[in-house]
Amino acid sequence: MAETKSMEKIVNLAKTRGFIYPSSEIYGGLSAAYDYGPLGVELKNNIKAAWWKKFVTERPDMVGLDAAIIMNPKVWEASGHLQNFSDPLVDCKSCHKRWREDHLLEDKAIKPKYDKARPHDPRELHCPECGGELTPVRQFNLMLKTFLGPIEDTSGIAYLRPETAGGIFVNFKNVVDSMRLKVPFGIGQIGKAFRNEITTENFIFRTREFEQFEIEYFIREKDWKKSFDQWLSVMREWCLFLGLDKKDLIEHEIEDKDRAFYSKRTIDFEYKFPFGQSELYGLAYRTDYDLKQHQQFSGQDLSYTDPVTKEKFVPHVIEPSLGVDRSFLACLCAAYTEIEGGRSTTTESIKESEVVLKLPYALAPIKVAVLPLSKKEPLADLSQHILLDLKKNFVAVYDETGSIGKRYRRQDEIGTPYCVTVDFESLEDKKVTVRDRDTMVQDRVAITELLVYLKEKFNL
Ligand code: GAP
């Protein structure tokens, strides 16, 4: 059984099956903006809920936060985003297309991805689209600016946050004072971030509006190596939980010369997407740089005093930083499975290739589909009762159109782990057939036992 996957097929499935649509499509869309459809929102919510559980609520040393997107602009002065959060931009003098110079260099393998030090001759590069000459490089700030209040003058300038981390640092003192936490502890947040990216590419991989999962884990300086390793293994576990294959994950240790000056260690998690190997997440030891910057710019004391020893210090931080949309995309790419020739044994589908979205069962947008063998009574009535019962516990759907083989394949394509078939015998023996997406094994289960059976399957 050969398997093939491509971005084109994944993007097509995402649109036609209700996972992701181009934003404002009836008006011609908007570059790199996407909307999560009915199945997409379920999958994304499941990923977010699982992250929140694993990284925040399941742990005794973590709390959560939901900070505002628009913050006092001084936050971004202190964090360095206003001065330094920029990408190198070049324009094509002929077709006027804009490019990120570092990406063009990477594509040409002129320098290794992270080697910012190597000087290059701009004449080595040309427009990838038309071969035209490029302008000299200029730095382009990625912060999305807006104005607060009715008058658009400098006093009203504000920014949409470029990362969620800022909201965590500025609430450090509030959380310490209100939650009686002891270092080491961390604050986790899920939320939108905005970057005016020069180039957007590869579906939801790089967009201007996206979501992040971020943690700032506050520690004593002496503990940084131990804490870094702990978060590294939590992130590895998370990648496997998403269904990513170990062989497609690369941990890229960022060399000294390529790290931000305040970071003592950074690892980028990279994933082999169908369009190429690219950054998925980052894990960084950022020393005490951020809290000290905010202490200096705000004039507030952001030190922590140990309640027992009275030792007073500014904590250091380990920062696991993950993208929600990239998690979604990696999960979708890993799950997409096309089986040439199909795996069904029915004659109608034997020759066609079959798509199975092998999402982890816990993440599947729809957990169970109820499929009556007939649209008519009394099967319809019994099936509707089963559906409504299941809906109290699971996201469940009803599908009565087409042959049973076609209906199984429709559910396989969207990753539904279980299909419940209600047949004429069900009226007599009060049992239904439950079919597993991956093994295709079918069990005959009493209707009264169905909920318990499925709960067991989902480890609930
Ligand atoms: N606080 C550190 C920070 O924001 P980052 O590497 O710039 O670090 C962290 O971003 C993660 O956010 C990335 O690894 C990626 O998963 C996600 N991310 C960043 N820019 C993105 C974009 N334009 N579109 C989608 N996801 C993005």
Side-chain angles (χ1 to χ4, degrees), residues 14 32 100 107-108 122 155 177 220 228 240 245 298 305 338 388 440 443 460:
R100 260 180 69 173
D107 291 348
K108 290 236 165 200
S155 66
D177 290 349
R220 285 175 170 78
F228 193 98
L240 299 184
D245 197 322
S298 67
T305 305
E338 194 176 311
L388 292 180
M440 297 197 297
D443 282 343
L460 295 174

Side-chain angles (χ1 to χ4, degrees), residues 1-4 337-343 352-356 358:
M1 276 195 286
E3 292 182 15
T4 48
T337 313
E338 194 176 311
I339 301 150
E340 268 176 41
R343 55 182 191 157
E352 296 169 24
S353 68
E354 229 175 273
V355 172
V356 183
K358 293 192 172 178

Side-chain angles (χ1 to χ4, degrees), residues 81 85 162-165 195 197 204-212 214 216 268-269 279-282 286 319 321-327:
H81 282 85
F85 194 52
E163 58 172 28
T164 54
R195 297 182 188 179
E197 301 280 3
I204 56 168
F205 177 79
R206 192 186 311 283
T207 50
R208 297 194 173 97
E209 173 182 344
F210 56 98
E211 268 183 289
Q212 287 184 314
E214 287 200 298
E216 300 304 334
D268 276 356
F269 278 67
E279 180 189 324
L280 183 62
Y281 307 136
R286 298 177 60 95
E319 180 188 74
S321 182
L322 301 83
V324 175
D325 313 81
R326 281 190 199 174
S327 303

Side-chain angles (χ1 to χ4, degrees), residues 298-309:
S298 67
Q300 303 281 317
D301 180 3
L302 298 184
S303 59
Y304 164 85
T305 305
D306 186 289
V308 179
T309 64

Side-chain angles (χ1 to χ4, degrees), residues 7 22 89 104 113 145 151 223 226 249 275 288 361 390 420:
M7 275 317 284
L89 167 73
L104 298 187
K113 191 172 176 188
K145 198 191 276 184
I151 299 164
D223 295 328
K226 186 178 71 183
L249 282 163
F275 55 81
D288 55 1
Y361 284 16
L390 290 176
V420 171

Side-chain angles (χ1 to χ4, degrees), residues 266-322:
T266 299
I267 289 182
D268 276 356
F269 278 67
E270 296 180 349
Y271 181 67
K272 288 183 190 164
F273 290 97
F275 55 81
Q277 184 177 319
S278 293
E279 180 189 324
L280 183 62
Y281 307 136
L283 174 65
Y285 166 43
R286 298 177 60 95
T287 66
D288 55 1
Y289 174 77
D290 305 273
L291 283 181
K292 282 210 167 137
Q293 282 290 106
H294 287 296
Q295 186 164 259
Q296 186 194 327
F297 278 74
S298 67
Q300 303 281 317
D301 180 3
L302 298 184
S303 59
Y304 164 85
T305 305
D306 186 289
V308 179
T309 64
K310 304 297 172 206
E311 172 201 8
K312 189 176 172 183
F313 60 97
V314 174
H316 284 227
V317 293
I318 304 293
E319 180 188 74
S321 182
L322 301 83

